[in-house]
Amino acid sequence: MVLAVFTGASGRDSIISRTLGNVLLPAERGITHAAVGVADRYNRIFNYDELEAENEELRKQVTELTRQLEAAQSAVTENLELREMLGITERNTEFTYQAAEVVGRTLDEWSSVLTIDAGSAEGLEKNDSVVTARGMVGYISELSEHSAQVTTVIDSNMSAGALVNRTGELGVAEGNYQLMGDGRLKVSYLSKDADVVVGDTVQTSGTGGIFPKGLAIGTVESVQTESDGMSNYAVLKPMVDIMSLTNVYIITEVTSE
């Protein structure tokens, strides 16, 4: 004790002070680490509400930006469709069109039907053809004042006279239960030696009384033989993607064939 006091009073670094410092160093480190941990827990506890509020605000901003992006993409797609349709109407002056928006759809193993927001009040009639700039969608099968049901090109209730553009081969385009799930339809009643190959495009022939001539139906994906072995049929991929449709156009009048 005397030595410690003497060396302390004289301003010298004593052996005892050095020894005590070495002994207490681990304890000092432990105390410092514990203090930092306590401070960190304190900040997390008392700043949690603030951080949660900030995260919630960021989530809202992300949601709003996502909504704006989807709206912008939809507007771009609709604008492109309108431009394409304008070109179609300018080239096909014999048709009169009514625009409509797809507001519902029933796409299952039994049917493929769209609901649109136009009806008899907008000049629509049953069996009117429904199209886009890319091709045929289907026909009006049910009608009310301001809405209508559209039986699509892949529905098993749909059939239309068909023409292979390249060769002039005739057949009947029709929906099929087995193909509908894959978004496909078939062209039936092709002869065994019909000149139809993968990649051929098919359009309406104008026969059958519903669809006017020249509406693009789809492209041939395969040519197969019917189960009876007497004729062939072609599997078609529609020109129009039924699942992604947002806007359609109804042919309300045909002035010439």
Side-chain angles (χ1 to χ4, degrees), residues 119-132:
S120 58
E122 287 73 34
L124 275 56
E125 296 180 357
K126 287 190 69 172
N127 295 332
D128 280 348
S129 299
V130 182
V131 299
T132 71

Side-chain angles (χ1 to χ4, degrees), residues 36-53:
V36 170
V38 170
D40 184 59
R41 290 189 183 91
Y42 176 87
N43 288 333
R44 284 204 301 266
I45 292 171
F46 288 92
N47 292 334
Y48 178 82
D49 291 340
E50 181 181 345
L51 291 173
E52 183 65 21

Side-chain angles (χ1 to χ4, degrees), residues 153-169:
V153 68
I154 63 174
D155 190 282
S156 59
N157 290 315
M158 196 288 303
S159 66
L163 172 72
V164 179
N165 292 350
R166 182 177 60 85
T167 64
E169 296 283 351

Side-chain angles (χ1 to χ4, degrees), residues 29-75:
R29 290 175 177 169
I31 292 171
T32 301
H33 180 74
V36 170
V38 170
D40 184 59
R41 290 189 183 91
Y42 176 87
N43 288 333
R44 284 204 301 266
I45 292 171
F46 288 92
N47 292 334
Y48 178 82
D49 291 340
E50 181 181 345
L51 291 173
E52 183 65 21
E54 182 179 351
N55 287 338
E56 181 62 25
E57 180 62 27
L58 289 174
R59 282 193 289 267
K60 290 180 180 179
Q61 292 179 17
V62 169
T63 301
E64 176 61 19
L65 289 173
T66 301
R67 186 195 64 78
Q68 292 178 9
L69 178 59
E70 291 175 348
Q73 290 173 336
S74 177

Side-chain angles (χ1 to χ4, degrees), residues 188-243:
S188 303
Y189 308 112
L190 298 172
S191 63
K192 291 280 290 183
D193 59 351
D195 183 12
V196 180
V197 298
V198 173
D200 277 343
T201 58
V202 178
Q203 67 178 26
T204 54
S205 65
T207 60
I210 294 181
F211 300 101
K213 183 178 180 180
L215 302 180
I217 302 174
T219 56
V220 176
E221 284 194 335
S222 66
V223 179
Q224 304 180 30
T225 301
E226 293 284 6
S227 57
D228 59 11
M230 301 297 293
S231 62
N232 288 346
Y233 69 92
V235 176
L236 291 188
K237 178 182 179 181
M239 291 293 188
V240 176
D241 183 1
I242 302 298
M243 290 296 293

Side-chain angles (χ1 to χ4, degrees), residues 105-109 111-114 152 154 242-243:
R105 60 190 85 224
T106 302
L107 304 173
D108 54 37
E109 60 181 330
S111 61
S112 176
V113 178
L114 303 177
T152 75
I154 63 174
I242 302 298
M243 290 296 293

